[in-house]
Amino acid sequence: MSAQNCGAVPRHPNDITPDWLTARLRENGALQSGKVSSLTMEVAEKWYVATTARLTVEYEGCIDKEASRHFFIKTSGPDWRYPDLPRKEFEFYRLPYPNDLPLVTCFDVSHDPDSGFSSILLQDLSKTHSQTRWSLPPPLPLCETAVAALAHIHAHWWGSAPIEGAASSSAPQHYHAGIAQNVERLLPRFFEFLGDRLTHHQRELMRIVCEKLPELVAKRHADRRNLTVVHGDAHLWNVMFPNDPRVDSCVFFDWEEWHHDVGAFDLAYMIALHWYPGHRARHEKHLLQIYHQELQSRIATEYGWNDFWADYRLGHLQNFVIPVFQWDMELSPGGWWPHLERLFLAYEDLECAELL
């Protein structure tokens, strides 16, 4: 998918006009003839990073029966505490990738570097796919399809070098160095906010993990082996599951946090951070084996189970920064407080103290 700026970037879905949509679809080869004559819009909920809407269009003079009539658009601006996130997703959809990857079709990305506003025009999958409810884990068969799809995505970029010109694709050590600097700044305030809701042992553990994590991750990155493009926010509610698996496959969306890193970190975020011990004990190893087998079937490089399991455990140490950032982003404690509790439980189950 190729995209270039063409005309003003809409600051809100209500700014979209038939002429703007026609120009964007023509520029990117999604509309060969005719024009958008009218559109109806259903503005969806305001996400943390973007305002979203579903569009249904009518065409005039269009002879292409395959032309899409249903779109999903995300618009975002600079009024966000982490303004780089929308730009990262913009960059992701400009990457070249094959059509068979389990990703939603992107028709256009537009970005105005001066104003900081961007828009992403995607295929609307609401008629063929659905999400499971936060924060209930999906049934096991859906989890199995999701981890296999994630392995497919990771395999495509396996062993690739950071992509020149993309800020999200900088060397992994630079990405993690930035995280470490922010955590060092935020952690004292985080502890002060929580007060006696954290035990002395929990504070010390978080402090030690966050202090040692940069060195541990840098050591893992030193030989540059077995790195890939990771999602960075690969929880199972960032997956659209098909209503009819015989026709469609699941797809991953929301790529604001993508970067080059260790693929197993996505799995640790998906499972170790989000699942309570009983559920995780029943399904964790099974799902990791599905991912590993799918990955092995697609990559030429040897990446054994022991190396993969070590990466997964290291990925859980990386999870320790998540509640801190989510607190700083003023997300609901209903999200990050359970994360904090599960962090300590999985730390014990995975014997992560050995890594320190």
Side-chain angles (χ1 to χ4, degrees), residues 190-316:
F190 183 68
F191 289 161
E192 180 181 5
F193 172 80
L194 283 176
D196 62 8
R197 287 167 288 194
L198 276 181
T199 68
H200 175 75
H201 172 74
Q202 289 171 330
R203 289 168 179 260
E204 286 304 302
L205 179 57
M206 289 195 71
R207 185 179 290 110
I208 290 170
V209 169
C210 292
E211 178 183 315
K212 294 190 175 183
L213 188 60
E215 180 182 352
L216 294 172
V217 174
K219 182 178 179 180
R220 168 60 183 86
H221 291 150
D223 60 10
R224 302 182 181 181
R225 292 184 305 125
N226 300 322
L227 302 180
T228 185
V229 166
V230 300
H231 186 284
D233 191 22
H235 58 69
L236 286 162
W237 304 274
N238 270 341
V239 182
M240 296 287 285
F241 294 101
N243 298 334
D244 186 350
R246 298 170 299 179
V247 177
D248 300 300
S249 62
C250 69
V251 297
F252 278 80
F253 63 97
D254 272 10
W255 287 85
E256 292 101 345
E257 294 275 13
W258 79 276
H259 57 281
H260 269 76
D261 214 328
V262 179
F265 287 9
D266 269 348
L267 274 297
Y269 180 85
M270 176 188 288
I271 298 172
L273 180 66
H274 284 86
W275 287 9
Y276 286 98
H279 190 73
R280 181 165 44 79
R282 291 192 295 273
H283 303 306
E284 182 176 48
K285 283 289 183 71
H286 170 66
L287 291 173
L288 294 181
Q289 287 167 351
I290 288 177
Y291 169 91
H292 187 250
Q293 290 166 4
E294 179 69 20
L295 186 69
Q296 290 291 83
S297 72
R298 292 179 177 275
I299 63 173
T301 305
E302 176 62 30
Y303 183 51
W305 173 262
N306 289 339
D307 289 338
F308 170 60
W309 178 244
D311 283 344
Y312 180 78
R313 295 167 69 211
L314 179 59
H316 183 58

Side-chain angles (χ1 to χ4, degrees), residues 54-93:
R54 291 186 173 88
L55 310 177
T56 301
V57 308
E58 296 294 333
Y59 293 107
E60 177 183 304
C62 178
I63 61 175
D64 182 4
K65 294 182 179 180
E66 301 299 320
S68 180
R69 298 181 183 275
H70 303 282
F71 302 92
F72 183 85
I73 191 159
K74 299 174 66 173
T75 60
S76 57
D79 56 341
W80 174 248
R81 185 168 301 190
Y82 293 89
D84 283 346
L85 294 184
R87 180 172 61 91
K88 287 181 179 180
E89 186 169 32
F90 163 81
E91 290 180 339
F92 176 80
Y93 283 113

Side-chain angles (χ1 to χ4, degrees), residues 1 3 10 13 16 20-21 24-25 28 30 40 42 47 50-57 59 67-76 86 88-95 97 101-110 118-129 131 231 238 240 251-256:
M1 191 278 303
I16 296 169
W20 181 88
L21 192 55
R24 302 313 307 142
L25 294 176
N28 292 292
T40 57
E42 177 188 352
W47 291 1
T51 302
T52 65
R54 291 186 173 88
L55 310 177
T56 301
V57 308
Y59 293 107
S68 180
R69 298 181 183 275
H70 303 282
F71 302 92
F72 183 85
I73 191 159
K74 299 174 66 173
T75 60
S76 57
K88 287 181 179 180
E89 186 169 32
F90 163 81
E91 290 180 339
F92 176 80
Y93 283 113
R94 296 188 70 177
L95 300 178
Y97 53 80
L101 280 190
L103 303 171
V104 61
T105 299
C106 182
F107 296 100
D108 175 70
V109 289
S110 301
S118 63
S119 68
I120 302 175
L121 187 66
L122 304 168
Q123 178 186 12
D124 180 13
L125 298 176
S126 61
K127 304 296 184 184
T128 58
H129 291 68
Q131 294 171 266
H231 186 284
N238 270 341
M240 296 287 285
V251 297
F252 278 80
F253 63 97
D254 272 10
W255 287 85
E256 292 101 345

